[in-house]
Amino acid sequence: MERESFEDEEVAALLNEHFVSVKVDREERPDVDHLYMSVCQSMTGQGGWPLTVILTPDKKPFFAGTYFPKTRKYGRYGLMDLLPQLAEKWRDERDKIEEIGEQIVEETKRQLLSNLDGELNAESLDRAYRQYAQLYDETFGGFGSAPKFPSAHNLSLLLRYYKRTGETRALEMVERSLDGMYRGGLYDHIGFGFARYSTDDKWLVPHFEKMLYDNALLAIAYTEAYQATEKPLYAEVAEHIFAYVLRDMTDPEGGFYSAEDADSEGVEGKFYVWKPDEVAEALGVDDGELFCELYDITEEGNFEGHSIPNLIGQVPETFAVRKGMSAAELNVKRKAWREKLFAYREKRVRPHKDDKILTSWNGLMIAALAKGAKVLGHPAYAEAAAKAESFLWTKLRREDGRLLARYRDGEAAFPGYADDYAYLLWGLIELYEATFEPDYLRKATSLARDMLRLFWDEERGGLFFYGQDAEQLLARMKETYDGAMPSGNSVAAYNLQRLAKYVYDAELAQKADELLQAFAGAAERYPSGHAMLLTALDFAVSPPTEIVIAGDPDHPVARRMLESVRSRFMPNAVVILVPNGERGDRVRETIPLVRDKAAIGGRPTAYVCENFACLSPTDDPEELEELLGE
């Protein structure tokens, strides 16, 4: 639409004669996007992007739609037909247009502020599981039909359900989905990272755009799956995601860029697809043939005459046997092939990089890197997460502490939204668990209180999408649906509970409960659309578990104890390290739970508490492993 119309002089002249044209970046102004998308859906029964809305001067909508060509074609009205008619209506029937706008505003407000009654409990998790089982694609993994989105928080919820119930089918749904996404073209087998969604049901042909938030959420899911299954592939995929982000999506000052486009040189996917002769040129004839056979690179191609590398239907270990080599030998070859093809591909024209830095998406990547650091044992991930957090804290906060939403070219702008606060809160808690630096919990507590002050709905509960100090649109909406990204309300419900456990703050715990209650009706009616909210519920209904390790963190016993804790999938446990000396005193000031916890006899000591009762402390790593196993 941009190329067809907005860059066309004839359309531009018509727009400029009758309208004030406003182009909205939906990532910078998600408040505007959410509101007018709701308007479009209520007026037309559907939505999508590009989103086209015509407003009165006081921002009341009276016409909405999505894509319009320049001139009428294929049954679609064109802008050159519509715009003169709308201008004429505004000139001749202004009172009627304004009345329509007022009706739309009232209906939109009614829909946005309606609360559905309901009650969430452990049985709600069972209902969600059954709904996922109905939507599950038995063949390729994932849920529903094409287009398929990763929606990794669905998989994180199912991992928790498996942990809670022992239901192996829940784990099977997670594994087949993660395997399918990795094997398909959704995953970039040459440069790493995941594309935004798959246009087909088997994850082969992606929409080639790469989004920071998808890669953050998928890194979390693969990391948790590695904890739950101990399968090395999941750790490897998570490491590859982080390698991609740190290589291609990281600003020199530490923040993370938003996205990479799908197209280069005006052609979607051109940067990512291959012909056999290109592979042979990069690898030589013999290795080229092996790579093409393994990764489905053919003359006819699997995408518009070219080939997207994929492993659908291939098992590398079986392929190795067929070719008379060991799996280890093939892995060495695959690594060398990838590096050569990556270097070859780097000579192509790269897709455009959206280098704006969004607080919300950065919060997600901070959370993912911090989780990766503690589970995969890579301190560099925690260092990158800490650098990004420092960037946000210094560059994306006003002098009064107010978070801002976007940074680019030295300018921070737009008062932060609920998502910015909730996602950064998540990142700060994960950073604490990766580093055990209590300052992150103090920052998280301050941020949480600011979030409640700015966004809380005193009448109905829950967080409004934009703050009371921001531009006031025609309605203040609340986002509850956990779609491609989890909603700020769901993420807040999850992390307020976790934070309250650390800092013993009754108000934060109460607000988390009220958040769950505020959106219980919506979650009851469509459980699979509220995965993150149900993750918060899973935390709420699980027995409270605290694990404290007191002593010198560099002592071999303490290190072994920490490794035992971090290697296990215990998503609802609170883990605290209390060092000796002044550092331990700082921890006790922040976390009341550990005021009486110390190393016994100078030897690192573990305390395991569940359901408000603590077992006898132990300084034996093997005994700790037995306790954790139980």
Side-chain angles (χ1 to χ4, degrees):
M1 193 167 177
E2 184 167 47
R3 287 193 295 267
E4 285 180 1
S5 299
F6 302 145
E7 295 177 0
D8 180 272
E9 290 191 11
E10 193 177 7
V11 176
L14 191 56
L15 281 168
N16 291 338
E17 183 180 355
H18 299 293
F19 300 87
V20 176
S21 301
V22 181
K23 185 178 179 183
V24 178
D25 183 328
R26 60 183 289 256
E27 291 159 6
E28 289 188 341
R29 292 299 303 269
D31 53 340
V32 174
D33 175 58
H34 285 191
L35 176 63
Y36 290 110
M37 182 59 71
S38 297
V39 166
C40 182
Q41 289 169 333
S42 65
M43 290 179 71
T44 69
Q46 60 188 15
W49 298 276
L51 174 62
T52 306
V53 188
I54 312 295
L55 317 175
T56 66
D58 54 356
K59 297 183 282 194
K60 293 175 181 174
F62 62 89
F63 179 87
T66 53
Y67 166 72
F68 295 98
K70 177 183 176 180
T71 56
R72 181 170 182 148
K73 62 180 180 181
Y74 309 128
R76 283 184 177 271
Y77 282 101
L79 285 180
M80 296 300 292
D81 311 306
L82 280 170
L83 295 178
Q85 293 180 36
L86 291 167
E88 183 182 338
K89 291 278 187 188
W90 177 248
R91 186 181 64 243
D92 298 340
E93 302 178 46
R94 183 171 301 195
D95 290 346
K96 185 176 180 182
I97 293 293
E98 289 182 332
E99 184 181 341
I100 291 170
E102 188 61 42
Q103 290 171 355
I104 292 168
V105 167
E106 291 306 312
E107 177 61 18
T108 300
K109 286 181 178 179
R110 190 189 66 77
Q111 290 183 4
L112 289 174
L113 295 178
S114 64
N115 270 23
L116 300 170
D117 291 330
E119 183 179 348
L120 292 175
N121 50 43
E123 291 179 5
S124 306
L125 300 170
D126 297 328
R127 286 195 295 274
Y129 165 71
R130 289 193 293 270
Q131 192 171 78
Y132 281 117
Q134 291 174 343
L135 295 168
Y136 174 58
D137 181 341
E138 300 275 359
T139 306
F140 300 108
F143 304 95
S145 55
K148 275 185 177 175
F149 288 79
S151 299
H153 39 294
N154 293 338
L155 305 179
S156 291
L157 174 63
L158 286 169
L159 279 173
R160 284 158 175 76
Y161 190 79
Y162 163 69
K163 176 74 175 176
R164 163 180 294 280
T165 65
E167 177 56 68
T168 56
R169 181 161 163 74
L171 181 61
E172 174 200 314
M173 287 192 276
V174 172
E175 291 204 64
R176 184 161 294 177
S177 299
L178 292 175
D179 290 347
M181 287 187 285
Y182 159 72
R183 290 181 179 279
L186 188 78
Y187 177 71
D188 179 358
H189 290 269
I190 306 302
F192 306 149
F194 282 86
R196 188 173 167 209
Y197 63 85
S198 175
T199 61
D200 63 305
D201 61 352
K202 59 184 180 180
W203 306 107
L204 172 62
V205 180
H207 175 56
F208 290 89
E209 187 178 20
K210 288 180 180 177
M211 312 301 292
L212 183 69
Y213 66 81
D214 277 324
N215 283 282
L217 292 165
L218 282 163
I220 290 171
Y222 278 99
T223 300
E224 290 183 340
Y226 172 64
Q227 281 182 301
T229 66
E230 298 183 356
K231 291 188 176 180
L233 174 65
Y234 298 144
E236 181 182 297
V237 175
E239 289 167 348
H240 287 177
I241 293 172
F242 295 138
Y244 159 67
V245 170
L246 296 176
R247 182 191 69 222
D248 290 344
M249 300 298 286
T250 304
D251 183 85
E253 293 187 86
F256 302 114
Y257 302 137
S258 295
E260 289 190 297
D261 280 359
D263 61 307
S264 52
E265 301 180 83
V267 179
E268 181 169 349
K270 184 174 183 179
F271 182 75
Y272 297 101
V273 297
W274 296 84
K275 284 282 196 180
D277 60 340
E278 294 175 306
V279 175
E281 186 179 341
L283 303 182
V285 174
D286 292 343
D287 279 353
E289 286 182 0
L290 282 173
F291 180 89
C292 288
E293 184 177 347
L294 179 60
Y295 283 92
D296 187 30
I297 312 296
T298 62
E299 286 294 346
E300 59 272 17
N302 53 36
F303 174 70
E304 298 179 355
H306 292 75
S307 294
I308 302 167
N310 71 90
L311 290 170
I312 296 171
Q314 285 280 24
V315 179
E317 293 77 8
T318 305
F319 181 86
V321 171
R322 211 165 62 237
K323 297 301 176 182
M325 65 181 94
S326 69
E329 287 174 316
L330 179 60
N331 280 339
V332 170
K333 281 185 175 292
R334 287 172 65 197
K335 185 173 184 293
W337 292 341
R338 191 205 67 77
E339 290 172 355
K340 289 179 180 178
L341 290 168
F342 179 81
Y344 184 97
R345 195 177 78 175
E346 283 295 287
K347 298 172 186 174
R348 298 174 179 174
V349 176
R350 289 191 65 89
H352 171 74
K353 197 187 307 289
D354 183 346
D355 63 356
K356 67 176 175 285
I357 295 170
L358 298 172
T359 299
S360 57
W361 299 6
N362 271 250
L364 287 179
M365 186 51 71
I366 290 167
L369 281 162
K371 186 179 282 284
K374 66 187 180 187
V375 173
L376 305 174
H378 295 314
Y381 296 162
E383 291 167 11
K387 188 175 180 182
E389 184 277 331
S390 177
F391 177 88
L392 296 185
W393 206 254
T394 55
K395 302 285 190 182
L396 278 142
R397 287 168 75 241
R398 292 192 315 222
E399 289 184 5
D400 62 359
R402 181 66 160 92
L403 271 188
L404 300 173
R406 184 272 286 151
Y407 178 93
R408 187 171 186 275
D409 284 346
E411 182 212 24
F414 309 113
Y417 308 101
D419 288 6
D420 296 299
Y421 281 78
Y423 291 179
L424 182 54
L425 180 63
W426 191 356
L428 287 165
I429 294 172
E430 295 290 349
L431 253 178
Y432 166 73
E433 293 188 350
T435 65
F436 296 115
E437 173 49 62
D439 189 46
Y440 290 123
L441 291 181
R442 287 192 281 271
K443 285 183 175 180
T445 304
S446 170
L447 194 72
R449 289 177 178 148
D450 284 348
M451 177 178 71
L452 294 171
R453 175 176 56 81
L454 289 164
F455 301 95
W456 189 257
D457 179 358
E458 297 291 348
E459 187 178 346
R460 295 181 174 87
L463 302 171
F464 287 117
F465 189 81
Y466 62 83
Q468 62 186 17
D469 60 341
E471 178 187 358
Q472 300 301 299
L473 304 176
L474 59 90
R476 284 186 83 187
M477 59 283 185
K478 297 175 198 165
E479 186 63 47
T480 64
Y481 176 63
D482 297 324
M485 282 190 293
S487 77
N489 275 292
S490 298
V491 172
Y494 175 56
N495 287 293
L496 285 174
Q497 289 183 88
R498 297 172 71 198
L499 181 60
K501 286 278 196 298
Y502 280 114
V503 300
Y504 270 32
D505 189 311
E507 181 190 359
L508 298 183
Q510 177 65 26
K511 291 302 185 193
D513 290 341
E514 290 176 19
L515 271 167
L516 286 171
Q517 186 55 44
F519 306 115
E524 271 197 333
R525 284 158 179 77
Y526 185 29
S528 64
H530 294 81
M532 193 73 205
L533 192 74
L534 294 178
T535 295
L537 173 68
D538 180 72
F539 190 98
V541 299
S542 295
T545 304
E546 297 93 17
I547 301 166
V548 180
I549 296 172
D552 178 4
D554 294 322
H555 193 288
V557 169
R559 285 205 300 266
R560 184 173 164 189
M561 286 177 166
L562 276 174
E563 287 169 7
S564 294
V565 173
R566 287 173 160 177
S567 65
R568 283 173 165 75
F569 184 57
M570 298 184 293
N572 298 326
V574 167
V575 182
I576 305 162
L577 175 70
V578 186
N580 297 327
E582 289 184 12
R583 287 181 62 200
D585 293 339
R586 285 173 52 225
V587 173
R588 292 184 182 92
E589 287 172 11
T590 307
I591 308 174
L593 172 71
V594 301
R595 282 178 183 160
D596 61 343
K597 306 288 193 296
I600 297 175
R603 184 174 170 82
T605 305
Y607 300 79
V608 178
C609 308
E610 188 171 43
N611 265 332
F612 308 104
C614 292
L615 304 173
S616 297
T618 179
D619 60 5
D620 182 352
E622 291 186 5
E623 185 180 350
L624 174 61
E625 289 186 11
E626 289 178 14
L627 293 174
L628 296 176
E630 292 167 7

